[in-house]
Amino acid sequence: MFKALIVDKDEAGTTSASVQDISTDRLPEGNVTVAVEYSSVNYKDGLCLGSGGGLVRNYPHVPGIDYAGTVEASEDPRYAVGDKVVLTGWRVGEVHWGGYAQKARVNGDWLVPLPEGLSTRQSMAVGTAGFTAMLAIMALEDHGLTPQKGEVLVTGAAGGVGSVATAILAHLGYQVAAVTGRPETEGYLRELGATRIVAREDIAETVKRPLEAETWAGCVDAVGGAMLARVLGQMKYGASVAAVGLAGGAALPATVVPFLLRGVNLLGIDSVMQPYENRVRAWQRIATDLPMDKLEAMVQPATLTDLPKLGGDILKGQVKGRVVVDVNA
Ligand code: NDP
């Protein structure tokens, strides 16, 4: 038996979540069984802890889109009992049972070895949000971003993706302008390395002019919607925006003018289906480019029983930094 946070749906379509003791034979199919140590709370987890947001196919369901732990049984020659592993993506926690449990079973193709220099807890302090922030920064670098080019904008900065992006960019020597709707997080963001704070309302409004002053050399955007549209018109000539999220909306009320007159690039970032080599590269970069004291400053610890409330909080944009779930606490 092991503990798991189970979300169930009744006939009226109402979901409810509770921690239950379940037996190992209920684990889904897969060739690697992991004794989970830590998971985390991401925006998608908020959806899967509640109504499912169209992501969850079957109930009862165990959410948790990422986890880290120790291999307990393996039929995959790449993983032996005792190996430390990390999982993000592949629709685990949505279509497949996820990390809000003391045990998980998956396809070995979806795992990566725990990166050297990180503990299982630190890897989940990073989690899907931080891993995706790293992918976004790598994409911006691949498109020519260097610290000499100017300020980099991070939207949704006090959230998970934004916090990790801010800390990594600052560590790499970038000037970071952090957009937040929570003025009380200014001290936190400056501690992570932000050099300028931009109030959400100053950049969220739509404007008629498709182009504004060339301001940002790059952008990691966790917000989407009207803010992303506005940011496109503020990018420097030839600069790129890495579109990561939709915390502010999925619509993009923009014009093509920034693409045509300023050669601006809009780079899509997907963490779910990233090829293995890129995952390993991103995790290695995280281990070297994210200062661990800054990562610790982002962490809010949690247990399985805290999750239903935290799921609601993250959907309302009320979680600061990263929530790390100790599934054995
Ligand atoms: P968080 O909730 O931790 O962060 C989102 C932040 O966005 C909030 O903290 C808040 O920051 C800001 N925000 C929230 N609502 C609004 C709003 N209405 N308008 C403007 N800003 C808002 O979530 P995550 O960091 O976990 O995820 C961020 C986004 O990235 C989500 O949309 C998520 O789905 C997406 N994502 C995508 C991935 C991919 O593979 N592409 C992987 C991981 C995440 P502040 O208070 O500072 O303004």
Side-chain angles (χ1 to χ4, degrees), residues 43 132 156-161 180-182 200 222-223 244-248 269 271 314:
Y43 189 86
T132 311
V161 172
T180 184
R182 290 178 280 179
R200 186 191 293 176
V223 171
V244 173
L246 42 57
I269 306 298
S271 65
I314 199 162

Side-chain angles (χ1 to χ4, degrees), residues 272-290:
V272 176
M273 308 296 287
Q274 278 292 317
Y276 180 81
E277 292 69 27
N278 235 20
R279 286 175 189 271
V280 171
R281 188 161 80 96
W283 279 111
Q284 280 166 351
R285 286 283 310 269
I286 287 164
T288 56
D289 295 346
L290 175 59

Side-chain angles (χ1 to χ4, degrees), residues 15-136:
T15 53
S16 59
S18 61
V19 178
Q20 296 177 22
D21 286 305
I22 63 169
S23 114
T24 315
D25 57 24
R26 285 186 65 190
L27 282 172
E29 278 183 22
N31 57 359
V32 182
T33 306
V34 179
V36 179
E37 291 164 23
Y38 296 96
S39 183
S40 81
V41 179
N42 300 272
Y43 189 86
K44 256 188 191 173
D45 292 314
L47 297 172
C48 297
L49 280 161
S51 65
L55 301 174
V56 180
R57 298 242 179 94
N58 298 305
Y59 292 90
H61 177 67
V62 176
I65 67 165
D66 49 24
Y67 57 80
T70 306
V71 172
E72 199 174 79
S74 172
E75 290 158 18
D76 184 321
R78 294 165 295 182
Y79 294 101
V81 172
D83 285 354
K84 299 281 185 190
V85 289
V86 177
L87 179 135
T88 66
W90 305 111
R91 305 206 62 195
V92 170
E94 307 171 36
V95 174
H96 313 281
W97 277 18
Y100 292 165
Q102 292 170 329
K103 286 185 201 296
R105 189 172 287 148
V106 276
N107 180 341
D109 291 341
W110 301 343
L111 295 167
V112 296
L114 181 72
E116 213 157 294
L118 290 184
S119 65
T120 48
R121 182 175 176 280
Q122 286 167 330
S123 73
M124 280 302 104
V126 175
T128 302
F131 172 70
T132 311
M134 189 73 245
L135 291 174

